[in-house]
Structure formats: structure tokens, C-alpha cells
Amino acid sequence: MKNFITIFLAATLLIMIVLIFIFSVPKTEVEYAKQGVIDLSETSYGEHQLINLDGEWEFYWNQLLEPADFGNDLLSQPTYINVPGHWLHDQSGNTYQPEGYATYRLRIVNVPSKTSLGLRKQNIRSASKIFINGNLILQDGQPTSSEETVLLGNSPQVSYFEIEGTTVELIIQVANYHYLVGGIGKPLILGQQQDIQVHSHKKIFFEVVIITIILVVGLIYLILYISIDVYRKREPAIMPFAFCCISLALQSSLLSERVLYIILPNLSMTWTFKLRYIALCSINIFLILMVNRMAKILPEKLFKMIAAVFGTYILVIILFPVSVFLTFARALIGFSFVLIVSVSFRSLYVYLKRKRLGNTPKSDSIFVLVMFSSIVYHVDHALYAFGVRKDATIGFLCLVFHCLSFVYLLAMRYSEAYKKNEEMSAKLVEAFYSLDKTTQKAQRSEIAFLQAQIKPHFLFNAMSSIISLCYTDGHRAGRILTELSKYLKDSFNIDYVSDYVTIASEIELVKTFVNIERERFGDRIKMEYEIDPAALSAKIIPLVIEPLVENALRHGILKNKKNGRAKLTIKKVAEGISIAVEDNGKGIEEYQLAKIRQSKLKSDVLKGNGVSLININNRLKEFYNKQLNFETSEAGTKVFFTIPIKTEKGDENA
């Protein structure tokens, strides 16, 4: 299994590297602009190449300049700013607000004359106009000097144009009042028409493949959750995982190439913003829910508070204009980042703690990798949103790694659960085989039958608890099953040579039974023992003490909501061995005591503890000519009796 995990991770990493190489590494050299000018004669630009128009562009803050304005002598001297990138500061150290408007200008000289070229705009935040040699070739939204009149834009576009001379003047008007930061976020690409088309198709294809993988994974697990009841109960994380994948696919389709526009070409930028931030909130809700259902990282109340925060923000997004909910966008992205990082490190802490205790399933290591990929995605998304990174390629690849790793994690958890179930089933078969063999032997007489009988409801409840815990707490289920197996073995360990067992073995049976009940009912059971060591070697008929303790627990203290206590006392006295079982339950009604003393076994009269006590009373009369004594009230019940000491040689001391 360890080798398989290594191969899986290595293969996934290799695929990511290949995809990065194919889709991210430029095939040509990229020459950068200097002081607002690119000289193509000094670049490696050729017939089948593209060039990123990166470098130092002229920058005019708070001005929306037309091409004609650049022939005006009154035009202020430009500053220079790096493209691509945000406009928070220029190369001279001047700083600017995230919201505002500006004009960019670049001159490209020594361009081959009479050439047909293409320009690809990828990400300009948020409304823009692009002029080539005085002609408007692209417009995305409407850049204005006022937030009230601006029209949102920012979708990838391509334009083709003819060049008569050898110089290209590129002027871009930009206005931003909605993104976290304004500017030209991704490179503008200049090249021949065929090369531009190939570049565009590759970028779109890359993102469509990534989004399709994520969406298909989400839909498959959503169908599994809806249609397969057993799997839904076994793996509670599949529902949030499915919706997390769908939300990730939705958000990714609204980033970068905005491939959702292929399906919804008329989708407005307003709803693009709304859907993007709704998806971001949904991702956080479902991701935290998914993690919590797998590892219980956060308290339930804290998770509900986090879900309420994101849920409230979703309502604000739906009900209010873009300008209102974007006021809190920076805080939302920051909160999401801190939340995911905190949960991831909490997951790592839990993993290391389990590993130190030697209680770490193999799937836990994959779970840590899933959370790590989530951190990388959120970091990349935040850097892209703030204009620090040029593209979201790493984030897209991390999405695939995240989803496929989680699919593998679910498969590992299912495999581990299946193996545990097989082990539990083997132990159950062994236990039932022991039960069958012992029951056959116990049929030798009525007394042997009474020794061998075990209440069906106890077995049923114990088995039900084990089956339920197999899917939630395998270690605890194993403990109960081990105790149950021991209980069955001790219960049916009948000596055919002698009708007696030692008190020590009976006490072991009692403790095993109490341990099973404690696993099932927890702190509701408080059991005390006062055992005289001198009495341990004495012999008694089997299955007398344990049924008394069982009655005290089931029909005494378990009827109390809390503070239930029972006590077993065994002492060596002059008359023999004194045995008493006490509880602080509600007592036994007088009419039941009368029927027990008379040994009248009628199911319409006796319910609960009466039948077992009559069996014990009959056997005490049969073997010792003794019977049970009772002290009962609303404060509790004490059942006690004294039997003569039976030695190994068979004589009795009265």
C-alpha cells in the first residue's frame, strides 16, 4: 500500500509538471519594453512567434487619454509602470489607490510593414478601451472617471488588424471600481493571427479540461450520495465533497479565460462577480464541513458560526449591488485564507498526534496532502486576486490534485473500513461458532440449559452497537467485540465433570459484562466491587452472580438518568460465602417479589428482572436449599444470599 501511495503521488506530480510545461512555459523568448518602447528588431520575434508586451509602459494616472491627446504639448510627462501588474505604485515610487482610472501607452517600433497582426487581451481590471494607431480595436465595458457611470468589463478578447507602417502605438484606457486592485493583470500578447488563435485555444482547452475533471468528480459523488444509501451512511464526507467540487468548478469557470461564457455568452459582469463570490463562500462552507466530518477538527458550534458568516455574505451578494458586497471582499478573502490555513495546520497537528500514539490510518497521510493542496490553491487565488501573480495556473493544477487526492482518500477509507468489517465479521463468526458448540453441549440437562442461556436482547444490543461502531469508531467496536467474545466464552465454559465454577471465574464474567455495558452506556454506569480474596477459590454454581449484576444495571441504575451506582460484595463469613448486589434504582414492586419467592413464572405478571431472578432462586433452592433475600425501597434494591463453602474435594462446610 505504501508503494502504491508513492507511485500515485509521483504520477500526479509528473502530470502537473507536464501540464505546466505545455501550457505555462512560453515557447518563445519574451523581450520587455523599456521606457514605453519595444524595438522588435532587437527581439527574437519572428514569423511563427508570439511576444508578450511586458515591461515598462507609460502611465498617466487619473487621465483617460484619447490617441489625439498625445500630440498635445500640454500633456504631462508620463511615469512608467510595470505591465503586467497592479497599479498600486509605479517605478518612481509614486503610490495610487486600488480604485480609479488611468491610461497606459506603449510604442512598438520596427514592425514589419503591411503585416496582419493580432492582439490578445487577457485580464484588464475592470473596464477598458484599446486603441491601435488611433483606431479603437477592443472595448470591454465602459471606462469612465466616475463609479456611477462605469460599465463593468474584463473578459478575454482578441482583435486582428493590419499595419501599414513600421510603428504600432498602443493606448489603453482602464477604470477600476470593483476589483480588489486595478491594472493590467495578465500579459497582452502580440503575434500573427494563427499563433494568437493557437495560444487562445490552448489556454481555453487547458481550463476546460481542468474544470471538466473537477465538475465530473463532483457530479459522480453527488449521484453516489443520492442513489446509494449504504455509501451515504458509511462516508458522510461525500456530500460536502461533491458540492465543494461543483463550487470549485463554478468559481474556476469565472476566472482567467472565463469558460462559462462559452455556455452563457450573455452573462453580465455583475452576475459574474456575484456567482464568483457565492462560489468562494460555498467552497469554504463545504470544505470545512468535509474536513469536520472526516476528522472532527472544529467544534460543532464553531463550524455553525463560520457557516453563518459565509451564509450571511451569500445573502448580501444576492440581495445587494456589486459595490456593496465588494466592500467586504478583501476581508472575505483574508478570512477564507486564514481559515483554510488554520484548519490545515489543525489537521496536521491531529495527524502527528495520532501518529505519535500509533493510531494513524494510512489514509491520514493523504488527508494531509489534500489540505496542503487546498492551502496552495487559496494562496494562488489570493495572489491572483490582488494582482501579484499573472495567472492562476498553479491554482488550477492544485484543484485537480486536490480533487483526485480526495477521491483516492475516499477509496482508501472505504478499503480500510472494508478490511475492518472483514475482521469484525471473522470475530463474529468465531463468537457464533463458539456459541453454537457450547449451546449444543448445554442441552444435556435443564440445569445446563439454565447455565448456558444468555438473554437475546443483550446479544442483539451488543451486536447492533458493534455494527454501528464499525463505520464510525473501529477501535471501540473492536474492544466491545473482544469483550463480547470473552463474555460468551466464559458464559459457556461449562465443566461437564463438575457443576461448579470458582467465584474468581464468575467475577471475571461479571467484569467482562460490565465492561461491555460501559462501552455502550458510558458514564451512566458506576460499578463498585468489594471482594474478599479469601472467597475467590470457593466454588459456586455458574451464572448466578452475573445475572444479579445484570438486573441491577438494566432494571436498576439504567432507569436513572444520572448518578446510577451498583455494588457487588462477596465475603467469606462463618456460614460460608455471603454474596450481595446493591443498586440505587427505583426498587422492585412488592407483587413481583411475592411471585419471585413463590417461583411462579408467568410472563403476563412478571416483566423485566422477574424472570431471571426466578431462575436464580430456583437453582439456589435446587443446589443449596437457599433462596434470594431482598431489601428494596424507592432508594434502591439489595439482593443477597449466603451459600456453604464447597471445597475441591466436594465437601461442604455449613
Side-chain angles (χ1 to χ4, degrees), residues 513-537:
F513 171 80
V514 172
N515 288 339
I516 294 173
E517 297 298 89
R518 276 178 176 163
E519 287 290 341
R520 294 181 58 210
F521 298 103
D523 293 335
R524 290 180 61 192
I525 292 179
K526 305 290 185 184
M527 186 69 194
E528 298 177 11
Y529 300 91
E530 184 178 344
I531 310 298
D532 185 355
L536 295 177
S537 60

Side-chain angles (χ1 to χ4, degrees), residues 161-176:
F161 52 91
E162 297 284 340
I163 297 296
E164 294 295 332
T166 60
T167 300
V168 174
E169 181 188 49
L170 179 59
I171 298 171
I172 304 178
Q173 297 178 355
V174 183
N176 176 61

Side-chain angles (χ1 to χ4, degrees), residues 112-124:
S113 61
K114 296 184 179 180
T115 303
S116 178
L117 296 175
L119 180 72
R120 186 166 195 269
K121 175 186 81 72
Q122 300 186 91
N123 186 329
I124 300 179

Side-chain angles (χ1 to χ4, degrees), residues 44 142 145 157 183 199 264 273 280 303 307 312 381 384 421 520 548 555 558 563 585 624:
S44 59
Q142 178 62 51
S145 59
Q157 294 180 349
H199 181 273
L264 302 173
F273 269 98
L280 176 61
F303 167 73
T312 302
H381 177 263
Y384 180 73
N421 289 343
R520 294 181 58 210
L548 291 178
H555 306 294
L558 286 179
N563 298 326
Y624 302 109

